[in-house]
Amino acid sequence: MSVVSKAVLQDPRAFDVERVRADFPILELKVNGKPLVFLDNAASSQMPQPVIDRLVRYQKSEHANIHRAVHYLSEKATSEYEAARRKVQRFINAAEERSVIFTSGTTDGINLVAHGYGRKFIGPGDEIILTTLEHHSNIVPWQMVAQEKAATIRVVPINDRGELDVEEYGRLFTARTKLVGLSHVSNALGTINPVKEMIATAHERGVPVLLDGAQAAPHMTIDVQDLDCDFYAFSGHKLCGPTGIGILYGKAELLERMQPFKGGGDMILSVSFEKTTYNTIPHKFEAGTPPIAAAIGLGAAIDYLTALGMDHVAAHELELLDCATQQVNRMPGVRIIGTAEQKAAVISFAVEGVHPHDVGTLLNEEGVAIRTGHHCAQPVMQRFKVPATCRASFAFYNTMSEVDSLVAAIRKVQNVFK
Ligand SMILES: Cc1ncc(COP(=O)(O)O)c(C=O)c1O
């Protein structure tokens, strides 16, 4: 799948990064006396002023609990919350609004599928296919299901570039395969997986696929109907929205057959001590008071990204990735881990003779924020035989001169450890 349209590639001037940066107050910060260079966007991205303003407006003049009262504020909050759901629906091109469930984040969405689908439809001797590239949040919930149900997890290996072995993937299917859990983009390496083909392979065998879209939704156009995925999970806080909100998309016929993960208010039609009747989807999966402000904030973030154009976002980030990859590749003693042909704007690297945490600490002294550690993807670290990596992850508001700052700061680290 191409993440950038030809028109955008031919006209990169359509995106004005300096104008975009002016929308992000936090980017004006100085850290240790140096301008902040924020390259930890894969962990959480920053929030533009229109989203901040939207949150303030909600709290100042629209807040009440939703779905429960007939007074003005409750009706206003309900209609804004449901409008946010429709914005998400359009953003990922879901066929139906009821396929969009508000969760607290990607982790919550995957747990919802593991408990609501996995615990109901996976039994002893069944198999779940995952990949070496998964974030822990797409491993641990499945291990919990597998342990409880005496099921087995089978793992798709990766090559030395950090790409999935798609042929081996095809061979892992058996008559007992019940689900595939697959990251759209790897958070540790940036690999963009060939998910459309992999979904088709699973569907030929009648197996549903859950995509972990935490690192894809912020960086490219997502079309769940075109992908034909059965579930798609992502987080608001990686998408210039608030923390505490995320999305689980699910095909309606699957969501209908699933059991709710959490019980409580709002997810029911009627309750007595003899019997409870569950609400219709998506409400069946939204027990209790949801993060109303955060959902509306996510809607505003989607408005912002849509106005910017996801094609422009992807094109600018691709330029940053190319520029950073070329510069880092020219540095003696620095090795990029994860060199897949299809990559999102993430560079994992190791500096010879320097522990990643020391690299991170010294970069911070230069105002450069990167992530160091195992990135909640320990199987990837084990595959590359490293305890941790340094990870620079870019967003559309990063600039070429920030790439230069990163490179200059890594040179300083090398000089300190010479
Ligand atoms: C690929 C991937 N999956 C899942 C998650 C978990 O997201 P959250 O912590 O927002 O639930 C992350 C977060 O870094 C991620 O990168």
Side-chain angles (χ1 to χ4, degrees), residues 129-142:
I129 296 180
L130 304 176
T131 87
T132 309
L133 289 177
E134 298 318 304
H135 186 280
H136 296 166
S137 64
N138 202 21
I139 299 175
V140 183
W142 298 110

Side-chain angles (χ1 to χ4, degrees), residues 42-44 104-108 110 133-138 183 185-188 212-215 234-238 245 375-376 391:
S44 208
S104 68
T106 308
T107 307
D108 194 35
I110 295 171
L133 289 177
E134 298 318 304
H135 186 280
H136 296 166
S137 64
N138 202 21
S183 49
V185 171
S186 151
N187 71 313
D212 171 352
Q215 297 296 339
F234 60 98
S235 301
H237 68 96
K238 296 182 196 289
I245 189 77
H375 317 296
C376 298
R391 182 186 71 184

